[in-house]
């Protein structure tokens, strides 16, 4: 158990709909990173939030957006869902922004599995 | 496009054997290298990190790094059925992201 919780664990949406995924970070961690993991692929970086601001973004379109709250929890929003958005969405918390890349100490939640029909 | 390449496997080894997992990366400026283990239906967990050329040992695991060849490997000695999982190689990218490979699936038979 990493102390990182994500909700919902599974959900099914149809093309064009919008989805919000939630993540509570581990106690003491102020940084949250979101990754998308398609079936049979490694996780792909979506973006990172630090102190309620986006602090780096991967190659994802603007319809992927996020928020971080004062308690460091975070949301990932995806608008205009496409079939290719079907994936496991992983939230990972870390002590600070550089901890994720210097020490690799990313603590992942169990993920939200999104299916888009 | 910075990339991390892994043989997807599956890699099958008998219990007690040495499993060797390999990874190459394209970005020469990468400084930090990681191996994560992901059990089926679970999230990745960090098992090894390595930053300088050579070997780093932790119990049954040994990570090897060769920056000149842009090559990282993970050796698992005395493989156990509980080691059966997907092993993800990850490399830091300048900034805040890790770049992951697709993972190698390891199956250890008893």
């Amino acid at each position: 158990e990493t102390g990182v919780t994500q909700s919902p664990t599974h959900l099914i949406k149809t093309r064009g709909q919008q989805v919000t995924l939630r993540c509570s970070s581990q106690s003491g961690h102020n940084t949250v990173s979101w990754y998308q993991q398609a079936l049979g692929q490694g996780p792909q970086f979506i973006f990172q939030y630090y102190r309620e601001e986006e602090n780096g973004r991967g190659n994802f379109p603007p319809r992927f957006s996020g928020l971080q709250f004062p308690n460091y929890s975070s949301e990932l929003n995806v608008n205009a869902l496409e079939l290719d958005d079907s994936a496991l969405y992983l939230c990972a918390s870390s002590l600070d922004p550089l901890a994720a890349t210097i020490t690799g100490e990313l603590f992942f939640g169990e993920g939200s599995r999104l299916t888009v029909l | 496009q910075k990339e991390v390449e892994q043989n997807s496997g599956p890699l099958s080894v008998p219990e007690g054997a040495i499993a060797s997992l390999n990874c190459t990366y394209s970005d020469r400026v990468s400084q930090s290298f990681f191996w994560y283990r992901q059990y089926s239906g679970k999230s990745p967990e960090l098992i090894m990190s390595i930053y300088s050329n050579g070997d780093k040992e932790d119990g049954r695991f040994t990570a090897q790094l060769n920056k000149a060849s842009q090559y990282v490997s993970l050796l698992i000695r005395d493989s156990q059925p509980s080691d059966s999982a997907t092993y993800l190689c990850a490399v830091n990218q300048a900034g805040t992201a890790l770049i992951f490979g697709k993972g190698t699936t390891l199956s250890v038979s008893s």
Side-chain angles (χ1 to χ4, degrees), chain A residues 1 11 16 22 24 27 37-38 40 49 53 55-56 71-72 74 83 86-88 96 103-106 110 113 115:
Chain A
E1 290 290 327
L11 68 166
R22 295 178 176 83
S24 294
S27 178
Q37 187 173 24
Y49 276 84
E53 297 284 334
N55 187 49
N71 66 354
Y72 306 128
S74 178
L83 296 180
S86 295
L88 180 67
D96 56 56
T103 66
E105 289 179 339
L106 280 175
E110 291 302 312
R113 185 165 296 282
T115 301

Side-chain angles (χ1 to χ4, degrees), chain A residues 47-100:
Chain A
F47 43 54
Q48 182 186 86
Y49 276 84
Y50 170 62
R51 292 185 176 179
E52 302 177 57
E53 297 284 334
E54 187 179 289
N55 187 49
R57 188 180 182 92
N59 189 27
F60 280 81
R63 60 190 184 84
F64 286 77
S65 62
L67 284 174
Q68 187 179 34
F69 301 99
N71 66 354
Y72 306 128
S73 65
S74 178
E75 285 183 357
L76 164 65
N77 299 290
V78 187
N79 293 322
L81 284 167
E82 301 177 359
L83 296 180
D84 284 349
D85 296 333
S86 295
L88 180 67
Y89 287 84
L90 294 164
C91 166
S93 74
S94 54
L95 274 174
D96 56 56
L98 292 182

